[in-house]
Structure formats: structure tokens, C-alpha cells
Amino acid sequence: GGLRLEIDRTRDTELPPSLSLTLPTSNVAIDVNVVWQRKSAGNGWTCGAAIPEPSPVLWRQLVDGVPSY
């Protein structure tokens, strides 16, 4: 599975090759690999991230933890 993330970051340096993503709405944490990244307007970064070898249970927890608006 994959994700697109927008990250506020005050430094101009690139993102690290991997991140730990925690969803506060569900207390689920998952490690992701940054696949691509680009500086956004202001202090932000937009990146694509892949979940290495995701377990179906963990993926379901992650998806269920994302609030719908």
C-alpha cells in the first residue's frame, strides 16, 4: 500500500528515506519508506510513501484510523 503525505517542516533539508507515521486518531504507528518528495509552499513537504511488506491487519488498522470528512 502507499500514502501521500503533507508534512510541515521548518528545515529545508530533504526528508529522511524512512519515517514512522503515527495516526493520533487510532494510536496506530507504521514505518514507511519515502518514495518521492518535493518541497511545498511555505515550510511543507509533500511525499509519497510505501509501506514495506504491510500486514493485512496493520493496513486495515491504518485505513480505519483515517478520519473521513
Side-chain angles (χ1 to χ4, degrees):
L3 307 159
R4 179 179 166 198
L5 305 170
E6 293 189 23
I7 300 171
D8 287 332
R9 187 175 169 101
T10 57
R11 295 178 280 170
D12 273 340
T13 58
E14 291 187 344
L15 298 171
S18 62
L19 303 167
S20 180
L21 174 67
T22 302
L23 296 178
T25 56
S26 65
N27 291 323
V28 173
I30 190 166
D31 292 329
V32 297
N33 294 330
V34 175
V35 178
W36 59 266
Q37 59 184 291
R38 73 171 182 252
K39 184 123 172 65
S40 301
N43 292 329
W45 285 85
T46 301
C47 73
I51 301 168
E53 300 180 33
S55 75
V57 172
L58 187 56
W59 180 249
R60 177 55 42 204
Q61 288 175 334
L62 179 70
V63 171
D64 288 347
V66 175
S68 59
Y69 294 97

